Amino acid sequence: MSQIEEVATRLKGLRDALGLAIDEIAAVCGVDTTTYKKYESAEADIPISTIQKIANTYGIEIMALLFGEEPKMRSYFVTRHGTGASVERRSWYKYQSLAAGFSGRSIEPFLVTVEPSTDGVHLSSHDGQEFNYIESGTMELHIDGKTITLNAGDTIIYDARHPHGMKAIGDQPLRFIAIIC
């Protein structure tokens, strides 16, 4: 089963366990029921921001939805170089959790790798703030109707309630740390 199918199965299981109708959880996600049904059937990839909304609303760890395991560490958690739990959202887009084993965290740190693509930018929004540190490559960030180019060493923090999305530009992969809080 692909990771998208695994997440879809966990979403449906959560909804069933909570006794929620599709329209109820779709409203929490801020999507129509048709879109939410596509998330549960793995016909559409569910954005991390939407998974975060579900986790926050129903009091579960985002890692439980993404990986099927609850974090266990409460005082500290070390992620060694190259070992973070990975989710490949699309063939050109990979999230690596940097704190998957730490329970009760108030931030979600990820190492994100994005291959250059001719695809357009998918905009999403979620509660809270997002901080990005560009490790390598070049990011084209679209936020609130503006386009910002960020290079290695650049950082940005923004209100994530504004529609935002990004893509790698140039011929090198983009690697950045994303901290969602």
Side-chain angles (χ1 to χ4, degrees), residues 61 70-79 99-105:
E61 297 277 353
E70 289 284 338
K72 303 203 180 4
M73 301 302 292
R74 295 194 183 277
S75 59
Y76 69 91
F77 180 78
V78 175
T79 301
F102 190 76
S103 180
R105 62 192 168 278

Side-chain angles (χ1 to χ4, degrees), residues 20-33:
L20 298 171
I22 287 178
D23 60 334
E24 291 175 283
I25 200 160
V28 165
C29 297
V31 299
D32 58 58
T33 56

Side-chain angles (χ1 to χ4, degrees), residues 135-152:
E135 183 179 288
S136 62
T138 303
M139 174 191 283
E140 181 180 284
L141 178 68
H142 297 251
I143 182 165
D144 207 21
K146 295 182 177 43
T147 302
I148 303 164
T149 301
L150 300 164
N151 298 296

Side-chain angles (χ1 to χ4, degrees), residues 56-76:
N56 290 342
T57 300
Y58 298 110
I60 62 170
E61 297 277 353
I62 190 172
M63 294 300 119
L65 288 173
L66 288 175
F67 304 111
E69 294 183 20
E70 289 284 338
K72 303 203 180 4
M73 301 302 292
R74 295 194 183 277
S75 59
Y76 69 91

